[in-house]
């Protein structure tokens, strides 16, 4: 048996987490003098209220090495392997801390004899880009596929999946220090809506569109063009405080590309801290 572990940047809905028995290790979020963990003591609604009323922008922090060790130890008596899939190592130290926990535990004297390994995977993505990878791994684990097959697909998905998203403003990414190559867009006209993407684990600018409706139309085109003639498609739509826009985009794309697997999710507090309200994203992969 194989356990699937991830972190709270995956933005998977709770019902899916429960259905696929996915273990989520939460990151930390600092709001003023208070520290929270999404899914533990902070809901999306509570976070958005605090984001809009706080005098300072929240900050985020990865799980500790001890957090990972505790989670891995809670699983290794029940499974032969753990596949731990995380936010891009270029966006967070989460992956590195998971690796440090793995190195410490594999030589631990209390490691069960039947436990083989902890496989830590850098998704090179975030939010539902990470989410579609986790779900693919979880489906294979439920089907009792060997760990080698799961890792092979994850490697392919980390390279070949695409994740595009529109933000209302670059303010949050700029203040959070996650803007990367998109810094060049900071001086753009106020009404322009940036479209960004993940490239080899880095957040990069793609283009800028004058209005939000045009940006969403362009987002739709990027997905349909990227999936033209493809089959066995994984498709995910994510939003922060934009449920109607997300639902329309989801319905439109499902009708056109006819995906095998779909996901519609709300961006959680960790990602929303850096992307801001009004964000809309689409991730996809074709086998």
């Amino acid at each position: 048996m194989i356990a699937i572990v991830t972190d709270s940047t995956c933005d998977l809905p709770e019902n899916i987490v429960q259905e696929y028995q996915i273990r989520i290790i939460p990151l930390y979020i600092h709001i003023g003098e208070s520290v929270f963990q999404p899914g533990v003591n902070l809901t999306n609604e509570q976070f958005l209220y605090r984001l809009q009323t706080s005098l300072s922008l929240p900050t985020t922090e990865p799980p500790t090495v001890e957090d990972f060790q505790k989670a891995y130890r809670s699983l290794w008596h029940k499974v032969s392997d753990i596949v731990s899939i995380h936010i891009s190592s270029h966006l967070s130290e989460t992956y590195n801390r998971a690796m440090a926990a793995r190195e410490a535990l594999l030589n631990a004297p209390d490691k069960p004899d039947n436990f083989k390994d902890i496989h830590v995977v850098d998704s090179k993505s975030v939010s539902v880009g990470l989410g579609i990878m986790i779900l693919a791994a979880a489906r294979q684990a439920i089907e009792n596929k060997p760990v080698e097959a799961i890792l092979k697909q994850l490697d392919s998905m980390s390279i070949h999946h695409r994740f595009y998203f529109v933000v209302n403003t670059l303010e949050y990414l700029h203040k959070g220090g996650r803007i990367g190559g998109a810094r060049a867009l900071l001086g753009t006209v106020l009404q322009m809506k940036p479209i960004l993407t993940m490239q080899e684990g880095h957040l990069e600018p793609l283009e800028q569109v004058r209005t939000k409706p045009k940006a969403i139309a362009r987002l739709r085109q990027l997905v349909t063009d990227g999936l033209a003639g493809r089959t066995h498609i994984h498709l995910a739509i994510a939003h922060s405080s934009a449920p109607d826009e997300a639902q329309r985009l989801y319905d439109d794309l499902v009708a056109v590309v006819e995906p095998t697997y779909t996901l519609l999710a709300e961006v959680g507090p960790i990602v929303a801290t850096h992307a801001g309200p009004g964000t809309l994203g689409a991730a996809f992969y074709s086998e």
Side-chain angles (χ1 to χ4, degrees):
M1 186 176 176
I2 297 167
I4 304 298
V5 174
T6 187
D7 60 72
S8 52
T9 68
C10 67
D11 294 334
L12 290 174
E14 181 61 26
N15 64 311
I16 290 179
V17 171
Q18 296 298 327
E19 178 183 355
Y20 287 95
Q21 300 178 30
I22 298 163
R23 178 66 178 268
I24 293 185
I25 303 174
L27 278 75
Y28 296 89
I29 185 163
H30 299 255
I31 306 175
E33 298 297 318
S34 302
V35 182
F36 302 93
Q37 288 181 294
V40 178
N41 58 356
L42 184 68
T43 67
N44 286 0
E45 293 76 14
Q46 291 168 338
F47 166 74
L48 289 170
Y49 173 78
R50 288 175 176 270
L51 180 66
Q52 293 164 359
T53 59
S54 176
L55 297 177
S56 59
L57 187 69
T59 59
T60 59
E61 182 183 356
T64 65
V65 174
E66 291 74 21
D67 289 335
F68 280 106
Q69 289 178 328
K70 182 178 179 180
Y72 294 153
R73 272 198 162 97
S74 72
L75 293 168
W76 66 3
H77 286 283
K78 308 170 187 176
V79 299
S80 61
D81 291 88
I82 295 171
V83 177
S84 197
I85 315 160
H86 299 287
I87 179 177
S88 170
S89 60
H90 295 292
L91 298 180
S92 171
E93 280 293 306
T94 300
Y95 169 83
N96 293 330
R97 293 188 182 183
M99 285 293 292
R102 173 189 180 272
E103 293 301 318
L105 288 181
L106 287 185
N107 296 317
D110 59 331
K111 182 172 77 71
D113 292 338
N114 64 334
F115 182 77
K116 297 177 182 177
D117 204 350
I118 301 166
H119 310 270
V120 182
V121 177
D122 183 349
S123 71
K124 299 183 175 65
S125 196
V126 66
S127 188
V128 290
L130 167 60
I132 60 173
M133 295 177 62
I134 296 160
L135 287 176
R139 282 189 288 266
Q140 287 193 311
I142 288 174
E143 294 169 0
N144 293 317
K145 297 292 180 64
V147 69
E148 293 80 10
I150 295 174
L151 295 173
K152 182 177 180 180
Q153 181 171 41
L154 288 172
D155 182 59
S156 176
M157 294 184 81
S158 71
I159 297 169
H160 298 295
H161 86 283
R162 295 292 177 265
F163 183 28
Y164 301 107
F165 60 103
V166 177
V167 295
N168 272 351
T169 172
L170 288 171
E171 173 189 0
Y172 295 95
L173 286 166
H174 175 54
K175 289 182 177 178
R178 300 302 197 277
I179 204 162
R183 188 178 305 277
L185 298 179
L186 275 175
T188 192
V189 178
L190 185 62
Q191 295 301 316
M192 298 294 276
K193 299 301 178 185
I195 299 177
L196 302 105
T197 188
M198 295 297 302
Q199 292 182 354
E200 298 180 356
H202 293 274
L203 180 63
E204 299 291 347
L206 187 66
E207 54 192 68
Q208 39 195 329
V209 184
R210 189 163 295 279
T211 66
K212 184 72 172 293
K214 289 183 178 179
I216 295 173
R218 179 59 178 143
L219 189 63
R220 181 184 184 278
Q221 183 183 8
L222 286 166
V223 177
T224 54
D225 288 351
L227 290 173
R230 300 297 186 97
T231 59
H232 207 73
I233 291 165
H234 305 243
L235 173 69
I237 304 299
H239 74 91
S240 175
S241 302
D244 294 339
E245 291 174 336
Q247 188 66 59
R248 285 194 294 271
L249 180 63
Y250 175 87
D251 292 341
D252 287 348
L253 287 173
V254 167
V256 173
V257 305
E258 299 181 347
T260 304
Y261 304 109
T262 64
L263 173 66
L264 178 60
E266 182 179 7
V267 169
I270 300 298
V271 175
T273 292
H274 301 288
T279 297
L280 189 65
F284 59 90
Y285 171 79
S286 176
E287 296 179 8

